[in-house]
Amino acid sequence: MMQPTLHSTPRPRDVLREQLRVTGSALRLPFLVPAVLLVLAALLVAGLTDARSPADFHPESQMLPGMLGLVLPIAVWRGERHFGAGFLWTLPVDRRRHALAKVFAGWAWLISLVAIFVLWLLAYTLVTGGKVQPVEALWILPPRPFPAHGLVDPATLRTVHWTPEPLFWLVPFTAATGTYLLASAAVLGLRHPLWWIVGIGIAIVALDGVGALAHAPWLRMAPGRVLEPLFYGPYGFDALLTARIQSIRTEATLATGESVVVWRTMPDLRLWVVATLLWTGGGLAALWAAASRHGERRPA
Amino acid sequence: MSRPTHPDPDVDACAVSTHGLTRRYRGVTALDRVDLRVPEGAVYVLVGANGAGKSTTLRLLMNLERPDAGTAEVFGLDTVRDGPGVRAQIGYVPEHHDAGYRWMRCGRLLRHAAAYYPAWDPAYADHLGRAFGLKPDRRVGTLSKGEARRLQLVMALAHRPPLLLLDEPTDGLDPVVRRQTLALLAEHLADTPTTVLVSTHQVYEVESLADHVGVLREGRLVAQLSRDELRRTVRRYRVEVPEGWEAPPGLRGTGARRSGTGREVQWTLVGEEREVTERLALAGARVREVTPLGLEDAALAFLPEEGPR
């Protein structure tokens, strides 16, 4: 019997190119919705030209890119049975590399969309006569507990002039990347990611209920003690999403009765860099672990 | 009587060889120490009841599942250590009819598959697509079971793989398309040097193509032999027996039927004809007629009479 000629595996760049194409096709519908919304918003801006007020360029305070990164993996993995004998795994590519190539392809599209969004914000700023690098006067609260229901004495507020460094323009990209990596790890590594989310929610409610029944306030506060630093701490999730701008900026009522935007502290570039490295590094590690669950030498 | 399984032919000449391949699901053994040998260029039919382990065997060869014990090789490549290399040699039609991405159009899915197989033959893919009546604009999710199966067959054949793993390939096809599919498969085998490992309940469909048979029973490979060996060693015997006759122990057979008087028994028995005849004679029976069997009937001789086959 003549020895058959063995076939070669595809080149990595061909796999990556095909994943970019196929992921683009899979994302076409989910992309359409934000695209239509952007066009509608642009038309609205054009229609309200007379009434518009100058809008300064603040891509760092936008939560949309981070949120998009959280949901996009669902669209990237649409129709893929990644647990079991899914179509993806029948193809002649190392399973872990293949999964990572798909994640990378989704990320490339995500970053493209975020870039369009940031350019749209820039265009909006220019159309409305806003400033790209504004000098802003921030009112900083005194370093003592912020009165929850009380009035703030205007004399205690410190005024600081701040111009966001251009590095903050990267926040939408790093936020989208960090959340995308974490969500991709969940979608790829868990059989039922939604069950986990719902389960954690139920556990928090159950803790609250048990704490109330047992008259144990510490039990009721336990989830908050864990979640608050995780979301709003110096290196919390908000530091990744908006460089903490959403959590350090708040509204306060002055003693004069006027309602104003005040800041608990100044936005800190260093904290944002560290938080981004932590969350993105964690996301990469989680993604590697998730992809390894599908590796060629995974456990039986 | 010797067991008609030959686990030690020249492994180098095997397209597929497994060594003690074992797979368990939550403590239940689906595949038990299977030593499969599929010679290069053969059309090997894997026969067995539902749940016998046929589909599991094919999934293990694709490394879609991992074995609990044992190893498997395809053209000398280990299925776990060199999974991508192994899958590059294989055209796979799975048991299920999930042809790929439901949101994708058929033509796009074929182009997607083409990107993964450097040996993809676009002209041949077009030819197969036309022969199967596939419409490139149809969405995969809207295909019927039969149409999805045809799409899977095009994807499996169009890169002219050295090995085809076909899991119930005609399942879901109507009789006309089934015949057409088998004709295309025969044409493919004539044009392309290919080894085929096909799992099927409809052995008669591939009878004209098959040259080796393996029989799985409850996860164990109970028989593995060439078509010629099967025809030679599995035969129907018409035997005249004395009143109250008891069959000698150790005879492997199935489908024993006594005549109305109880003096004549028709029986499918496994073993060399001379040996079987001698044993029957020693037990007091007289062989009146021996007839060869078709592939399906011969393969079924290794399966239990009761229960589904």
Side-chain angles (χ1 to χ4, degrees):
Chain A
M1 172 72 54
M2 202 174 68
Q3 185 77 13
T5 312
L6 295 188
H7 290 187
S8 57
T9 53
R11 290 177 301 183
R13 70 163 182 261
D14 291 339
V15 173
L16 202 55
R17 192 185 302 147
E18 180 56 21
Q19 276 304 323
L20 279 167
R21 284 194 199 123
V22 80
T23 310
S25 303
L27 293 178
R28 203 175 291 159
L29 189 66
F31 263 89
L32 273 178
V33 178
V36 167
L37 286 177
L38 272 182
V39 169
L40 285 177
L43 288 174
L44 195 68
V45 170
L48 298 175
T49 306
D50 292 339
R52 70 174 184 248
S53 58
D56 294 337
F57 186 53
H58 279 299
E60 72 280 1
S61 63
Q62 302 297 326
M63 293 188 77
L64 187 66
M67 294 295 130
L68 190 62
L70 275 182
V71 295
L72 202 76
I74 297 167
V76 169
W77 290 91
R78 183 157 67 110
E80 200 78 75
R81 285 199 320 176
H82 45 281
F83 280 93
F87 176 69
L88 187 75
W89 311 131
T90 65
L91 297 169
V93 182
D94 178 86
R95 294 166 58 113
R96 181 166 53 196
R97 276 188 213 158
H98 208 179
L100 294 175
K102 197 172 188 67
V103 172
F104 176 80
W107 175 78
W109 285 106
L110 172 67
I111 290 303
S112 307
L113 191 64
V114 172
I116 292 169
F117 176 68
V118 172
L119 286 174
W120 181 83
L121 285 179
L122 184 64
Y124 182 83
T125 301
L126 296 174
V127 166
T128 58
K131 288 181 180 142
V132 176
Q133 270 202 289
V135 180
E136 294 190 9
L138 309 185
W139 284 346
I140 310 290
L141 285 166
R144 60 182 167 81
F146 179 68
H149 303 293
L151 302 175
V152 177
D153 179 2
T156 63
L157 292 175
R158 186 164 54 95
T159 306
V160 175
H161 291 279
W162 177 64
T163 302
E165 293 93 331
L167 266 180
F168 275 122
W169 297 348
L170 292 177
V171 170
F173 298 95
T174 53
T177 301
T179 55
Y180 176 75
L181 288 174
L182 290 165
S184 292
V187 169
L188 184 59
L190 301 173
R191 275 179 199 275
H192 308 291
L194 285 178
W195 291 13
W196 278 88
I197 294 167
V198 172
I200 290 169
I202 290 172
I204 291 170
V205 173
L207 270 181
D208 190 61
V210 171
L213 284 173
H215 303 292
W218 61 270
L219 193 60
R220 299 186 71 180
M221 288 162 70
R225 281 201 184 118
V226 175
L227 293 178
E228 197 161 321
L230 196 68
F231 281 92
Y232 303 116
Y235 308 110
F237 200 54
D238 187 44
L240 171 75
L241 283 185
T242 65
R244 296 188 77 207
I245 284 169
Q246 291 295 337
S247 52
I248 58 176
R249 193 174 58 180
T250 185
E251 208 160 273
T253 308
L254 301 180
T256 57
E258 192 186 352
S259 192
V260 293
V261 171
V262 294
W263 297 68
R264 295 173 205 273
T265 179
M266 286 282 292
D268 189 330
L269 190 67
R270 192 188 57 83
L271 283 184
W272 164 68
V273 170
V274 174
T276 297
L277 288 175
L278 283 174
W279 284 98
T280 309
L284 277 171
L287 180 64
W288 182 262
S292 298
R293 285 195 77 180
H294 304 282
E296 298 287 342
R297 293 167 186 248
R298 66 205 177 281
Chain B
M1 189 174 294
S2 62
R3 188 177 172 215
T5 302
H6 306 283
D8 299 313
D10 184 4
V11 173
D12 292 339
C14 282
V16 176
S17 58
T18 69
H19 312 268
L21 201 63
T22 302
R23 179 74 174 121
R24 296 183 201 94
Y25 297 109
R26 292 178 182 159
V28 177
T29 303
L31 214 58
D32 190 5
R33 289 166 288 163
V34 166
D35 294 321
L36 198 68
R37 301 283 182 269
V38 181
E40 274 175 26
V43 176
Y44 187 114
V45 184
L46 205 52
V47 186
N50 287 332
K54 305 187 297 293
S55 299
T56 303
T57 306
L58 302 194
R59 285 197 297 270
L60 287 167
L61 292 174
M62 290 287 289
N63 199 22
L64 295 173
E65 290 186 23
R66 289 287 311 275
D68 290 287
T71 57
E73 287 181 0
V74 171
F75 296 112
L77 303 171
D78 187 279
T79 54
V80 173
R81 281 203 304 270
D82 197 359
V86 166
R87 290 192 291 277
Q89 318 310 321
I90 295 175
Y92 176 54
V93 172
E95 185 185 22
H96 58 78
H97 293 76
D98 194 355
Y101 305 111
R102 295 177 61 79
W103 52 269
M104 218 181 241
R105 295 183 194 280
C106 294
R108 180 67 188 87
L109 185 63
L110 288 175
R111 288 200 302 282
H112 179 58
Y116 283 88
Y117 297 100
W120 186 271
D121 182 344
Y124 188 44
D126 282 350
H127 163 72
L128 289 169
R130 276 197 302 277
F132 279 127
L134 282 178
K135 294 188 176 72
D137 287 342
R138 288 278 302 277
R139 280 200 195 279
V140 173
T142 65
L143 297 180
S144 69
K145 218 170 145 182
E147 288 168 325
R149 186 54 108 207
R150 284 181 260 167
L151 180 59
Q152 288 172 322
L153 281 161
V154 175
M155 286 197 288
L157 297 175
H159 58 108
R160 298 188 185 275
L163 173 65
L164 280 171
L165 296 183
L166 309 176
D167 199 348
E168 304 287 353
T170 57
D171 186 30
L173 301 180
D174 64 57
V176 176
V177 179
R178 187 179 297 169
R179 188 175 297 175
Q180 191 190 4
T181 302
L182 294 167
L184 280 169
L185 189 58
E187 191 184 297
H188 179 86
L189 295 178
D191 292 346
T192 312
T194 313
T195 306
V196 183
L197 175 54
V198 55
S199 142
T200 182
H201 292 293
Q202 323 289 347
V203 181
Y204 66 90
E205 286 182 353
V206 288
E207 185 149 358
S208 61
L209 302 173
D211 44 34
H212 280 73
V213 174
V215 182
L216 278 169
R217 191 165 80 193
E218 293 169 355
R220 304 200 72 173
L221 190 67
V222 293
Q224 173 168 241
L225 57 182
S226 71
R227 182 194 183 95
D228 292 343
E229 281 176 288
L230 192 68
R231 285 179 69 84
R232 199 183 68 238
T233 56
V234 183
R235 295 194 162 180
R236 181 163 291 141
Y237 293 78
R238 189 159 65 83
V239 184
E240 198 178 298
V241 295
E243 208 164 311
W245 183 79
E246 290 286 329
L251 267 186
R252 292 186 71 184
T254 186
R257 275 205 305 272
R258 280 180 186 266
S259 64
T261 61
R263 298 286 301 273
E264 195 175 275
V265 179
Q266 279 206 28
W267 209 359
T268 300
L269 289 168
V270 181
E272 294 293 341
E273 185 181 332
R274 198 164 58 92
E275 194 184 342
V276 172
T277 307
E278 274 174 14
R279 293 193 65 170
L280 287 167
L282 278 172
R286 192 169 153 210
V287 175
R288 302 295 297 264
E289 190 184 7
V290 182
T291 46
L293 295 172
L295 200 67
E296 180 160 12
D297 286 335
L300 292 181
F302 295 97
L303 297 177
E305 281 186 79
E306 301 299 324
R309 280 176 178 167

